[in-house]
């Protein structure tokens, strides 16, 4: 009976944070399970989810105090505004401009060499995100986008591991910044990461 009363005090009256806290606990359990059972990249799941859950549980402690100190409907309204604002802030801060590459080639070049407004090629995705679907392995972007950390170059889903490097290629008196992505585990992989080989591919790419 004591355990039941304790559980009742922890959960009743139910607020929005009650539901969010329970959901976050469930997601944390799932993230920990995936992190322990799947391959090494999956360890990122609990690293990201668990701290967020701990933060939500701290808010829930405050919620349990306030639910007995103030009007229930005012608390629900405050939590609704808090959660809505938090969701918008998170969506904005985590938004990205994704370039999805569809190609049968095993390498990709992103060349910052066009005078066009590259952002015109993107379409809206979600609240704040953008995406651009590219058929081919050469992408031309405006040099002004070099410092944009929110632009992601996403190779085909079949690429399990990737070699990536960037640099500048001197062509007809211009210095062209580039990003080179190579699908790993290909024939002559080491040779294809050497600068001489990359330069030869760049020369061909700029002739297209």
């Amino acid at each position: 009976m004591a355990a039941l009363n304790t559980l009742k005090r922890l959960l009743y009256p139910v607020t929005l944070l009650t539901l969010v806290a329970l959901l976050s606990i469930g997601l944390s359990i799932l993230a920990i399970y995936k992190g322990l059972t799947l391959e090494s990249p999956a360890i990122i799941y609990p690293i990201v989810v668990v701290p967020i859950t701990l933060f939500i549980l701290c808010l829930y402690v405050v919620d349990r105090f306030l639910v007995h100190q103030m009007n229930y409907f005012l608390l629900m309204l405050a939590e609704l505004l808090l959660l809505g604002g938090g969701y918008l802030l998170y969506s904005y801060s985590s938004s990205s401009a994704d370039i999805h590459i569809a190609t049968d080639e095993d390498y990709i070049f992103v060349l910052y060499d066009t005078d066009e407004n590259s952002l015109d090629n993107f379409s809206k995705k979600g609240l704040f995100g953008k995406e651009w679907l590219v058929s081919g392995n050469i992408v031309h972007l405006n040099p002004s986008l070099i410092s944009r950390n929110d632009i992601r170059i996403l190779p085909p889903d079949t690429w399990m591991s990737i070699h990536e490097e960037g640099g500048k290629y001197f062509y007809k008196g211009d210095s062209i910044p580039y990003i080179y992505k190579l699908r790993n585990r290909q024939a002559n992989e080491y040779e294809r990461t050497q600068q001489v080989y990359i330069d030869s591919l760049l020369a061909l790419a700029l002739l297209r």
Side-chain angles (χ1 to χ4, degrees):
M1 183 63 70
L4 184 61
N5 289 333
T6 301
L7 182 62
K8 183 178 179 180
R9 285 196 300 272
L10 288 175
L11 299 178
Y12 184 83
V14 175
T15 63
L16 290 177
L17 267 178
T18 305
L19 303 178
V20 172
L22 292 175
L23 178 61
S24 64
I25 291 172
L27 290 176
S28 289
I29 294 172
L30 180 61
I32 293 171
Y33 172 77
K34 287 187 175 182
L36 295 177
T37 58
L38 299 180
E39 295 183 1
S40 57
I43 195 64
I44 191 65
Y45 296 143
I47 291 175
V48 172
V49 174
V50 171
I52 294 175
T53 297
L54 292 176
F55 175 71
I56 291 174
L57 291 179
C58 289
L59 292 179
Y60 190 61
V61 172
V62 177
D63 169 85
R64 290 298 89 188
F65 172 78
L66 292 178
V67 76
H68 299 293
Q69 302 295 323
M70 61 183 296
N71 182 277
Y72 177 76
F73 293 103
L74 287 178
L75 178 61
M76 289 286 285
L77 178 60
E79 290 186 0
L80 180 62
L81 293 174
L82 176 65
L83 293 174
Y87 173 75
L88 290 175
L89 180 62
Y90 171 78
S91 297
Y92 178 76
S93 62
S94 63
S95 64
S96 60
D98 296 338
I99 302 177
H100 297 274
I101 308 294
T103 179
D104 293 329
E105 299 286 350
D106 55 14
Y107 70 94
I108 293 170
F109 272 120
V110 181
L111 304 175
Y112 295 90
D113 65 340
T114 181
D115 295 328
E116 299 177 357
N117 183 3
S118 303
L119 294 178
D120 290 341
N121 296 312
F122 289 84
S123 57
K124 187 174 176 60
K125 179 184 178 183
L127 287 176
F128 303 106
K130 299 177 182 293
E131 65 177 354
W132 178 16
L133 307 180
V134 175
S135 297
N137 65 325
I138 310 296
V139 182
H140 297 272
L141 295 178
N142 189 283
S144 63
L145 301 181
I146 293 176
S147 59
R148 286 280 298 265
N149 295 324
D150 61 325
I151 294 181
R152 302 190 303 175
I153 312 298
L154 304 179
D157 294 336
T158 54
W159 290 28
M160 299 303 295
S161 57
I162 301 168
H163 170 84
E164 179 178 332
E165 61 180 89
K168 291 185 178 181
Y169 180 68
F170 294 93
Y171 180 75
K172 293 183 178 181
D174 292 329
S175 176
I176 301 175
Y178 70 86
I179 296 174
Y180 173 61
K181 291 177 178 284
L182 172 67
R183 183 179 183 181
N184 282 353
R185 300 175 185 172
Q186 304 298 303
N188 303 321
E189 182 178 323
Y190 176 76
E191 175 188 343
R192 299 174 73 181
T193 62
Q194 302 307 299
Q195 193 62 49
V196 173
Y197 186 88
I198 296 173
D199 288 346
S200 67
L201 291 179
L202 279 165
L204 292 173
L206 290 167
L207 290 175
R208 296 184 182 180

